[in-house]
Amino acid sequence: MTNEAFSRVKIDAQLRDQGWEVTNTNAVRFEYVLPDRTKADYVLCDRNGRSLAVVEAKKAAINPAEAEDQAKAYAAQLGVPYIFLANGNEIRFWQWQTEAFPRLVKTFFSQADLERRAATAQVKRDLLSVEIDKHIVERDYQTECIDTLCREIQTGRRKLLVEMATGTGKTRTAAAFIKRLFEAGAITRLLFLVDRIPLAKQTEDAFAEHLSDFPAYVLRAGRRFQDEKRITITTLQSMVNIYSEYSAGYFDLVISDECHRSIYGKWSGVLKHFDGVQVGLTATPCIADPSAFGDEDDKLAIRDTLRFFEVDRPSFSYKMKDAIRDGFLVPYQIYKAKTVKTAAEGGFEVARDELDWSAMDADTKAELEKLFEEEAAANKKPREPKKTDSITIDPAALERKITIPERNRAMVREFRQVMDNGYLDAKGVLRKPLLGKVIVFAVTKRHAETLANMFDQAFADKKPSPEVRYADYVVSGMGDDDTVDGMTKIRRFKKEPFPQILVSVNMLDTGFDCPEVVSLVFARFTRSTILYQQMRGRGTRKAKGKPVFTMFDFVGVTDYHGDDEAAGEGGLVMERKPRPYNEPRKLLSLDVDDHIDPNTRAWVTVDEDGNLVFPEASEQQQEQIGARFEAWILAREEEFSPDQERWLRTVGSQLRANADTWDEFTAGHFAFPPFTLMGGLPEALRVFGGAEALDDILESLSAAVFGDADPSQQDSGVQPRAPS
């Protein structure tokens, strides 16, 4: 058998794998004679026997791309839109009339998939000619994102990356984008990937609301694709065992939400298998720069999202700082306080005589003796006896190998005190967090249970009855019932008054949406900037009466990630490789004293631009102006259109910046920057529906901000959703 004949045997098998009846000449024609008397190796036909594609076969040693010109001549004579170039080892697909080069694909396309693509090409419209559904997206950055993606696709780009901060409406933007592509005839079948089934259900509900004309379903593990549905929503875990059974051409578009989790290892096989246009959605794109980080585990797990999507920068970017500046997310403040043991540089020392050996069981004694011996051996000098008086504990080992109950009690006490009394920062400004829903990030299941019990006891006076849980906990992947039970607890946390505090291990870090969360408590440390950003994003969503949210940092995580640096949103970030959870053989409990180190107490505010600020006491006027403005606008949030709110947010930033000199705000201020850059007074009149309506709004605003009345009771003077 010649090399080329052997290649054809493999190609025949590859065609059969995709359902082609290679012995049926109405479907597959061999050595087909063309008008110029040359022969095409294969011609693939539709169900009516009409030619769809030519396949040019080469022996394995030859790069199939070398047959481009030959195959193009065959396709031109037959008038077919598609070419496959194959050598038994690799397959290249080419829509030669509209694309410059063929591209590698994992399989031949099935007959049905080729037919769909040919039919789509006949009806496809210019993407930008199709109106974006403004009932799905209203914000300027969302429509700009959709237009950008469509322009990129029309230039021939097949991999696109969208960076949008947590809470800025990635799913709604994706829905409007998908609808435009469906209505333009650019796609007929879509795969939407998420990282957890609960998020798949959320996406299905959102698509049912916004994309009701395009049937969607959630693919569960072990199930088959539903060919009659237009949209498949699923997790990589559900796809990983079945995707290879389908043609590479099955999906026209693949969207992966939080794509930085899915582009490596076995998961990447799903994304690489399908030939559809690839769109990645993430709040945290990764750039491979190991030198920027010292953690060895993270260096091994750097994920280069930009490289995977073959771009130098995201196709579209809208960062958290942008969203806070534009008024779509709330700014935040940080309260920092570490316990003595946590704050110790290079770990903390525990002396042998600090421990109550008599209260320990035999296993605990053995574990501790081993630690003392290892410490002694590591620090022993020549000709000196081993010293086993103390051991040094790495703070990173807390709650994984070592627990200090008093440390957990200290964090809970500190939180309660600050919630009740606030805290005077170094400049004399009183900071006080809002009362409301709280998420606590814990290390392990045992740690979460411990903290939940402690928080519940600390807030016992706030409970309507003893059996009600003020605090509860949820974990992921740590037991058969944990995840199912966790979803019930999460629904209760979102919809019911209690619990007020929910302690989480991996359940609320990403994809959780509860705008009413006003405080985040970091009781776990992470070196992963991606994870830190995702955790921080649980508090950024807007809600009525929520001008700001508070992060309580008890472990130094905000300092580690330099929350005021560019890396804080996008840029140089990375994620630790996921590890299976293993309960420690023995969690050693050290009954030693620990308490909040007063030297670590600090309050930091992050302004609308995402910058850390340290207000002077004299700046309290600015703070007061800002608070009164927020109270006024949040009290009538539903009265304003997105354009109106954008203008008013700019007004609010100018009020704060000029707190010392302004005592009112009138239409005359629109004649000066930054408003002139937005179109000045003429544009303001258009946005607010005329001079009378604009004057009414500004009078209400000035009275609320500069007057003595309660700003939340001021009438804005506008009708709901005034014309914009």
Side-chain angles (χ1 to χ4, degrees):
M1 184 181 295
T2 66
N3 288 333
E4 187 168 332
F6 183 69
S7 293
R8 293 198 182 194
V9 171
K10 295 177 71 174
I11 291 169
D12 287 352
Q14 292 166 344
L15 287 168
R16 278 193 287 269
D17 286 343
Q18 302 310 319
W20 289 96
E21 299 178 39
V22 295
T23 58
N24 180 357
T25 55
N26 284 326
V28 182
R29 295 168 183 160
F30 297 93
E31 299 290 339
Y32 188 72
V33 180
L34 302 170
D36 68 352
R37 310 309 299 170
T38 56
K39 292 181 181 179
D41 293 328
Y42 300 79
V43 177
L44 305 181
C45 306
D46 65 15
R47 283 168 289 185
N48 296 313
R50 293 173 297 202
S51 302
L52 277 177
V54 298
V55 180
E56 181 60 23
K58 295 296 178 185
K59 60 184 180 182
I62 296 178
N63 181 351
E66 295 180 12
E68 288 179 18
D69 292 340
Q70 183 181 356
K72 187 189 277 188
Y74 297 160
Q77 291 185 67
L78 286 170
V80 299
Y82 305 120
I83 292 171
F84 288 97
L85 307 171
N87 63 4
N89 296 324
E90 66 177 49
I91 303 168
R92 294 179 182 266
F93 173 73
W94 191 12
Q95 193 169 340
W96 66 277
Q97 294 160 315
T98 58
E99 297 172 346
F101 298 98
R103 59 182 178 271
L104 280 170
V105 292
K106 293 296 183 180
T107 72
F108 288 104
F109 295 179
S110 70
Q111 187 179 58
D113 293 336
L114 272 181
E115 288 179 340
R116 278 193 311 101
R117 293 217 174 185
T120 299
Q122 295 297 316
V123 300
K124 184 179 178 181
R125 298 159 56 191
D126 182 287
L127 298 181
L128 297 172
S129 71
V130 179
E131 290 292 322
I132 296 172
D133 190 336
K134 295 299 179 66
H135 293 99
I136 304 176
V137 293
E138 297 178 314
R139 300 172 181 175
D140 290 345
Y141 69 85
Q142 295 171 326
T143 57
E144 183 185 349
C145 174
I146 294 168
D147 282 342
T148 299
L149 294 180
C150 290
R151 282 192 293 268
E152 291 278 284
I153 290 172
Q154 295 199 148
T155 64
R157 191 173 291 280
R158 298 188 60 79
K159 287 188 174 184
L160 307 148
L161 178 63
V162 174
E163 176 191 14
M164 289 179 67
T166 301
T168 55
K170 290 197 297 293
T171 302
R172 293 178 74 98
T173 303
F177 170 66
I178 292 164
K179 186 174 184 180
R180 178 187 255 190
L181 265 59
F182 272 130
E183 292 182 342
I187 63 172
T188 58
R189 195 177 279 159
L190 159 73
L191 175 64
F192 195 96
L193 291 166
V194 297
D195 64 349
R196 296 199 302 273
I197 281 293
L199 298 183
K201 184 65 175 100
Q202 288 181 27
T203 304
E204 183 185 33
D205 293 342
F207 286 2
E209 178 183 356
H210 303 304
L211 301 174
S212 56
D213 293 337
F214 309 100
Y217 71 103
V218 174
L219 175 70
R220 304 273 180 171
R223 308 287 178 82
R224 306 290 297 174
F225 290 157
Q226 298 181 23
D227 294 341
E228 72 279 7
K229 299 292 182 67
R230 307 288 293 276
I231 301 174
T232 300
I233 307 166
T234 190
T235 64
L236 288 163
Q237 295 92 328
S238 298
M239 286 282 292
V240 75
N241 294 321
I242 65 168
Y243 72 87
S244 59
E245 301 174 20
Y246 292 85
S247 154
Y250 189 88
F251 294 109
D252 308 308
L253 174 66
V254 179
I255 297 179
S256 48
D257 195 13
E258 299 303 342
C259 59
H260 57 271
R261 305 173 188 279
S262 56
I263 62 176
Y264 290 88
K266 66 179 181 179
W267 311 123
S268 67
V270 176
L271 299 179
K272 293 175 180 177
H273 180 79
F274 295 107
D275 182 60
V277 171
Q278 299 268 354
V279 179
L281 308 177
T282 183
T284 47
C286 305
I287 301 175
D289 185 8
S291 65
F293 300 86
D295 184 75
E296 292 300 322
D297 290 336
D298 274 355
K299 287 180 182 180
L300 294 173
I302 289 173
R303 299 178 173 185
D304 193 340
T305 309
L306 299 182
R307 185 181 301 153
F308 181 86
F309 285 93
E310 301 172 5
V311 295
D312 295 327
R313 62 183 60 84
S315 312
F316 178 82
S317 181
Y318 191 71
K319 302 177 185 294
M320 188 187 73
K321 293 178 181 180
D322 302 321
I324 292 176
R325 179 199 62 220
D326 295 340
F328 297 120
L329 296 179
V330 297
Y332 57 95
Q333 55 190 9
I334 307 170
Y335 179 72
K336 303 177 184 180
K338 294 191 254 184
T339 71
V340 173
K341 305 302 185 189
T342 308
E345 291 289 336
F348 58 91
E349 193 172 271
V350 176
R352 178 180 282 274
D353 57 11
E354 282 187 89
L355 304 175
D356 185 0
W357 294 88
S358 63
M360 299 179 191
D361 58 42
D363 289 341
T364 301
K365 286 182 180 179
E367 286 284 332
L368 281 171
E369 286 289 3
K370 182 180 177 182
L371 291 177
F372 276 98
E373 290 295 326
E374 289 174 349
E375 183 85 4
N379 297 309
K380 180 179 179 296
K381 295 180 180 179
R383 295 184 297 276
E384 283 189 4
K386 291 182 180 180
K387 294 182 179 180
T388 58
D389 294 336
S390 63
I391 54 175
T392 301
I393 305 292
D394 182 356
L398 289 170
E399 304 307 330
R400 296 195 185 277
K401 296 180 179 179
I402 304 288
T403 186
I404 301 176
E406 194 55 39
R407 170 178 174 265
N408 292 318
R409 281 191 282 270
M411 290 189 291
V412 172
R413 281 196 305 269
E414 187 80 1
F415 178 79
R416 177 68 200 259
Q417 289 172 7
V418 175
M419 292 299 297
D420 286 347
N421 307 315
Y423 180 71
L424 284 175
D425 69 14
K427 305 298 183 180
V429 179
L430 178 65
R431 309 284 179 197
K432 194 169 182 179
L434 297 171
L435 294 173
K437 296 288 186 176
V438 180
I439 295 174
V440 181
F441 300 110
V443 180
T444 65
K445 180 180 181 179
R446 189 178 299 177
H447 189 212
E449 183 179 10
T450 298
L451 286 174
N453 289 335
M454 288 181 176
F455 276 113
D456 195 73
Q457 294 172 26
F459 288 87
D461 60 310
K462 301 293 186 181
K463 300 198 301 183
S465 59
E467 71 274 10
V468 170
R469 290 194 172 188
Y470 192 91
D472 209 340
Y473 70 98
V474 290
V475 298
S476 175
M478 302 199 188
D480 294 338
D481 301 323
D482 286 336
T483 299
V484 174
D485 186 49
M487 296 311 300
T488 301
K489 293 180 178 180
I490 289 171
R491 282 194 295 271
R492 191 176 297 131
F493 177 71
K494 293 174 68 170
K495 302 295 185 182
E496 299 178 11
F498 296 95
Q500 283 282 296
I501 298 174
L502 199 56
V503 187
S504 165
V505 181
N506 301 329
M507 279 289 277
L508 307 182
D509 301 353
T510 64
F512 174 72
D513 183 8
C514 181
E516 291 73 27
V517 169
V518 295
S519 292
L520 305 175
V521 178
F522 287 86
R524 65 164 290 188
F525 182 85
T526 178
R527 290 185 174 89
S528 167
T529 305
I530 286 178
L531 183 56
Y532 168 69
Q533 290 178 15
Q534 291 284 353
M535 294 159 79
R536 183 182 61 189
R538 299 315 105 199
T540 58
R541 288 168 173 79
K542 292 180 66 177
K544 189 174 182 179
K546 180 185 171 183
V548 68
F549 76 95
T550 304
M551 297 199 303
F552 289 82
D553 181 9
F554 292 120
V555 293
V557 69
T558 57
D559 286 337
Y560 179 86
H561 292 288
D563 204 66
D564 60 333
E565 297 178 357
E569 273 297 322
L572 302 176
V573 298
M574 69 180 79
E575 183 174 348
R576 183 186 300 275
K577 186 177 181 180
R579 301 170 178 166
Y581 175 82
N582 294 307
E583 191 76 32
R585 182 172 71 85
K586 185 70 177 179
L587 187 65
L588 299 180
S589 181
L590 300 185
D591 187 18
V592 297
D593 182 52
D594 201 5
H595 57 275
I596 296 292
D597 183 348
N599 296 319
T600 66
R601 288 187 172 114
W603 198 297
V604 178
T605 298
V606 180
D607 67 15
E608 291 184 340
D609 294 322
N611 301 309
L612 292 176
V613 294
F614 304 88
E616 299 284 349
S618 62
E619 295 175 356
Q620 285 183 315
Q621 187 176 0
Q622 293 185 16
E623 298 289 325
Q624 185 181 36
I625 292 288
R628 292 174 71 86
F629 171 81
E630 291 293 338
W632 177 82
I633 197 169
L634 287 171
R636 51 199 48 80
E637 189 176 25
E638 296 181 357
E639 298 175 6
F640 302 120
S641 71
D643 273 352
Q644 291 171 340
E645 185 172 350
R646 181 170 63 88
W647 275 75
L648 290 171
R649 287 288 177 184
T650 305
V651 170
S653 67
Q654 292 301 300
L655 290 174
R656 283 185 281 270
N658 297 276
D660 293 336
T661 56
W662 288 3
D663 56 7
E664 66 174 343
F665 189 93
T666 68
H669 287 90
F670 291 123
F672 302 95
F675 304 105
T676 50
L677 301 176
M678 303 168 64
L681 181 59
E683 181 65 9
L685 292 172
R686 185 194 71 79
V687 168
F688 289 96
E692 184 177 351
L694 178 60
D695 287 342
D696 288 342
I697 293 171
L698 297 182
E699 286 178 10
S700 169
L701 173 62
S702 293
V705 172
F706 300 106
D708 296 325
D710 182 352
S712 65
Q713 302 303 312
Q714 289 287 323
D715 183 5
S716 68
V718 301
Q719 299 299 314
R721 295 290 172 179
S724 60

